[in-house]
Amino acid sequence: GGPATSLVKCPYFHLEKLSGTQERDTKGLSFHALTVTYGEARVSSLGSDVVLRKFDSVLVPAACGKYRLDGVFQILCSSVSE
C-alpha cells in the first residue's frame, strides 16, 4: 500500500497523512474521517465507491472494516486512538 505518516497521536485521537493507493481497515474499532487536501481519491468498500476531490470529506464507519483508496492524493485521516 501507499505511505501513511502519523502526524499526531494522543490518548483520544490519531491523525495521519495518507498518499497513494492503499488498503485500509477500521478493524471495527473506530471511524475514519477522511479529508482530501490534494488531488482526487476514490474510496471503495463492499462494492460501493465515492470520488473525493480537494477539500471533500467522508466518514468511514467503524463497522465498514476494509476499504481501498485509489488515485493521486493526500488525505488527512482522523480516528479514535487504539
Side-chain angles (χ1 to χ4, degrees):
T5 303
S6 183
L7 300 176
V8 177
K9 188 164 186 164
C10 72
Y12 305 105
F13 72 94
H14 187 198
L15 180 65
E16 299 172 275
K17 182 173 74 172
L18 312 176
S19 59
T21 296
Q22 56 191 280
E23 299 281 337
R24 304 284 294 171
D25 192 350
T26 66
K27 300 177 186 167
L29 300 174
S30 170
F31 64 85
H32 286 185
L34 308 176
T35 300
V36 176
T37 59
Y38 169 82
E40 183 175 291
R42 179 177 303 274
V43 184
S44 305
S45 179
L46 304 171
S48 296
D49 60 79
V50 63
V51 174
L52 303 175
R53 293 173 179 80
K54 189 173 181 181
F55 302 131
D56 286 344
S57 296
V58 68
L59 182 68
V60 179
C64 179
K66 293 182 181 180
Y67 65 96
R68 181 178 172 88
L69 300 172
D70 290 292
V72 177
F73 58 82
Q74 285 187 350
I75 285 179
L76 292 178
C77 175
S78 59
S79 59
V80 176
S81 287
E82 294 180 20

